[in-house]
């Protein structure tokens, strides 16, 4: 039987959580059953595309025009027909709308995945009227967290009973002792001084400013510690100024963007995620895969991933004092760090690995298809 053709429709393949999910899903899919490809509605493709292209994955980029681009719908429809696509898996809302309209008058089934929400979230009366209608033509709708599922229902008027939660999955990371030691020497870190940190784009929604203010409180309590911030973005200049204002120049390291920051993560004794809003943070999952205890804010999917006082600590959103208190508590209790790290790694293995995510989407894809498209029992097993 011919393989099931799945087309992933997205904005582009630049670096971000959505793009990483697509890459991981393609790499973790059952190659005996599925043939996956990508259609980007915007150009240029971005760095994640290069890795997949090298693996023989077909990727095509279009150029969405300002406004509602009806020609784009025609391009998508032609692509679906020419390539005999069975499943059109749309990632994020705008690619979903274009992908769904593009699937009309074809035999393909549409799956829509919402990867995250803006902060603060908002509603549009037009979308609230349109979305229930669009949903009737959609074979399956998924969200990457229960919080995202709730937002889809509340702000997009999609029936909550029609939304399935599928958590993101990643390949777990392992520590490279030699490279981590060399990095510590390069950054002049002492093994006797703990290191905490985060890996995220420097964006207001990540709330680095609150974390820096909380870190100042930690140091003021007489606790020696280093804070490492990995990432780049529009907030860099503001963060540099705040570091100076808080007199943290000797205690904070700004690395800028790192394409493969696992050695930086390995240096961290505690991983921090102070975001104002999150879907399912990929770097948070990476930290858990390495057995790092985590401190997160109660935002989006964070409290679903980090179980408070079991795999880490969850503080109220945007609460500087509470965040500082949590950091102090964990820094001063090495046994609690070990317990949280061990429990977090076990939770990662049971809930957030790529095979678990890939199997969940496999079941969704197969459920969408008619019997004559189903793989043999041997393959499906």
């Amino acid at each position: 039987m011919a393989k099931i053709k799945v087309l992933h429709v997205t904005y582009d393949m630049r670096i971000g959580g959505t793009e990483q999910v697509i890459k991981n899903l393609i790499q973790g899919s059952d190659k005996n059953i599925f043939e996956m490809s990508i259609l980007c509605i915007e150009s240029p493709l971005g760095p994640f595309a290069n890795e997949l292209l090298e693996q023989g994955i077909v990727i095509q980029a279009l150029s969405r025009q300002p406004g509602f681009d009806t020609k784009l719908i025609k391009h998508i429809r032609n692509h679906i027909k020419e390539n005999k696509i069975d499943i059109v898996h749309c990632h994020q809302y705008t690619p979903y709308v274009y992908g769904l309209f593009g699937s009309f008058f074809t035999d393909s089934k549409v799956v829509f995945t919402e990867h995250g929400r803006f902060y603060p979230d908002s509603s549009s009366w037009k979308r609230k009227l349109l979305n229930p209608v669009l949903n009737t033509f959609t074979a399956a709708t998924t969200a990457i967290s229960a919080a995202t599922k709730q937002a889809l229902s509340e702000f997009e008027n999609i029936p909550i009973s029609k939304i399935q939660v599928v958590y993101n999955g990643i390949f777990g990371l392992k520590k490279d002792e030699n490279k981590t030691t060399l990095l510590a020497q390069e950054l002049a870190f002492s093994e006797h001084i703990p290191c905490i940190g985060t890996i995220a784009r420097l964006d207001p929604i990540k709330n680095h400013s609150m974390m820096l203010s909380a870190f100042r409180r930690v140091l003021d309590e007489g606790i020696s510690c280093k804070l490492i911030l990995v990432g780049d973005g529009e907030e860099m200049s503001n963060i540099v100024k705040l570091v100076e204002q808080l007199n943290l120049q000797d205690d904070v390291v700004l690395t800028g963007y790192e394409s493969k920051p696992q050695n930086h993560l390995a240096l961290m004794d505690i991983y921090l995620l102070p975001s104002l809003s999150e879907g399912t943070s990929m770097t948070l999952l990476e930290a858990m895969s390495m057995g790092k205890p985590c401190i997160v804010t109660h935002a989006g999917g964070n409290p679903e991933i980090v179980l408070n006082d079991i795999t880490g600590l969850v503080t109220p959103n945007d609460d500087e004092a509470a965040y500082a208190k949590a950091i102090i508590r964990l820094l001063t209790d090495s046994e609690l760090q070990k317990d949280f790290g061990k429990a977090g790694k076990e939770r990662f293995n049971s809930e957030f690995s790529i095979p678990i995510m890939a199997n969940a989407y496999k079941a969704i894809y197969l459920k969408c298809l008619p019997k004559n498209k189903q793989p043999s029992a041997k393959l499906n097993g």
Side-chain angles (χ1 to χ4, degrees), residues 182-345:
L182 288 173
L183 180 61
Q185 293 172 353
E186 179 185 327
L187 297 176
F189 281 6
S190 168
E191 61 179 331
H192 303 296
I193 298 178
C195 172
I196 61 178
T198 192
I199 302 171
R201 70 183 185 279
L202 304 187
D203 183 283
I205 204 168
K206 297 298 182 180
N207 210 9
H208 290 83
S209 58
M210 183 277 283
M211 178 177 57
L212 286 166
S213 297
F215 182 56
R216 178 70 267 173
R217 290 180 180 235
V218 173
L219 296 181
D220 289 344
E221 290 296 319
I223 297 173
S224 296
C225 186
K226 291 285 186 179
L227 174 64
I228 182 169
L229 307 184
V230 181
D232 201 355
E234 63 183 87
E235 278 292 284
M236 176 62 85
S237 60
N238 291 332
I239 288 172
V240 170
K241 290 177 183 177
L242 184 58
V243 167
E244 294 174 352
Q245 291 172 5
L246 296 173
N247 194 26
L248 295 172
Q249 298 94 320
D250 296 332
D251 306 291
V252 174
V253 175
L254 296 167
T255 70
Y257 171 73
E258 297 285 346
S259 60
K260 295 183 178 180
Q262 56 262 44
N263 297 320
H264 295 77
L265 178 56
L267 274 180
M268 301 174 193
D269 297 289
I270 300 170
Y271 186 75
L272 307 178
L273 190 64
S275 305
L276 293 168
S277 178
E278 278 289 347
T280 299
S281 167
M282 307 301 270
T283 53
L284 178 59
L285 298 182
E286 289 174 341
M288 290 171 63
S289 79
M290 295 187 75
K292 302 294 180 181
C294 303
I295 303 175
V296 304
T297 48
H298 196 288
N302 286 351
E304 298 172 50
I305 299 170
V306 175
L307 304 182
N308 189 41
D309 256 330
I310 298 175
T311 66
L313 298 176
V314 181
T315 70
N317 205 348
D318 200 26
D319 189 327
E320 174 190 322
Y323 210 74
K325 184 177 179 181
I327 294 173
I328 293 170
R329 179 187 172 194
L330 209 45
L331 278 175
T332 55
D333 193 334
S334 58
E335 287 302 313
L336 191 60
Q337 288 182 41
K338 292 178 183 178
D339 291 344
F340 284 171
K342 180 181 178 182
K345 188 169 185 177

Side-chain angles (χ1 to χ4, degrees), residues 126-145:
K126 291 181 181 179
R127 279 165 61 157
K128 280 197 167 187
L129 285 175
L130 178 63
N131 287 337
V133 178
L134 296 182
N135 185 254
T136 63
F137 296 98
T138 306
T141 300
T142 72
I144 62 169
S145 69

Side-chain angles (χ1 to χ4, degrees), residues 17-204:
T18 300
E19 293 76 24
Q20 189 173 351
V21 170
I22 296 170
K23 179 174 74 72
N24 290 349
L25 180 54
I26 290 175
Q27 292 176 336
S29 66
D30 189 334
K31 306 301 187 296
N32 293 318
I33 297 178
F34 300 107
E35 179 183 317
M36 296 197 175
S37 59
I38 299 173
L39 182 64
C40 299
I41 65 173
E42 295 179 354
S43 301
L45 285 174
F48 273 152
N50 296 330
E51 183 179 342
L52 291 172
L53 286 169
E54 290 173 359
Q55 297 171 18
I57 303 300
V58 175
I59 306 177
Q60 182 176 339
L62 303 175
S63 297
R64 178 166 67 112
Q65 299 303 306
F68 190 69
D69 188 354
T70 55
K71 290 184 179 180
L72 181 61
I73 295 172
K74 183 178 179 180
H75 286 310
I76 293 173
R77 182 173 297 123
N78 289 339
H79 184 95
I80 292 171
K81 288 182 175 180
E82 289 171 5
N83 294 277
K84 299 179 180 179
I85 300 298
D86 299 299
I87 300 286
V88 180
H89 189 164
C90 305
H91 301 266
Q92 300 288 44
Y93 186 80
T94 297
Y96 163 58
V97 172
Y98 281 107
L100 181 63
F101 282 129
S103 74
F104 288 170
F105 311 110
T106 75
D107 294 327
S108 61
K109 304 297 181 182
V110 173
V111 175
F112 165 42
T113 295
E114 176 63 88
H115 289 266
R117 305 292 300 174
F118 290 109
Y119 179 86
D121 218 325
S122 60
S123 299
S124 161
W125 67 267
K126 291 181 181 179
R127 279 165 61 157
K128 280 197 167 187
L129 285 175
L130 178 63
N131 287 337
V133 178
L134 296 182
N135 185 254
T136 63
F137 296 98
T138 306
T141 300
T142 72
I144 62 169
S145 69
T148 305
K149 174 180 177 177
Q150 183 61 42
L152 276 179
S153 174
E154 179 180 351
F155 295 100
E156 302 292 356
N157 201 24
I158 296 175
I160 198 163
S161 61
K162 300 290 186 180
I163 308 169
Q164 179 178 339
V165 174
V166 179
Y167 288 115
N168 289 343
I170 66 163
F171 292 106
L173 301 181
K174 293 183 179 180
K175 181 178 181 180
D176 186 315
E177 292 286 354
N178 292 333
K179 290 182 179 179
T180 302
T181 299
L182 288 173
L183 180 61
Q185 293 172 353
E186 179 185 327
L187 297 176
F189 281 6
S190 168
E191 61 179 331
H192 303 296
I193 298 178
C195 172
I196 61 178
T198 192
I199 302 171
R201 70 183 185 279
L202 304 187
D203 183 283

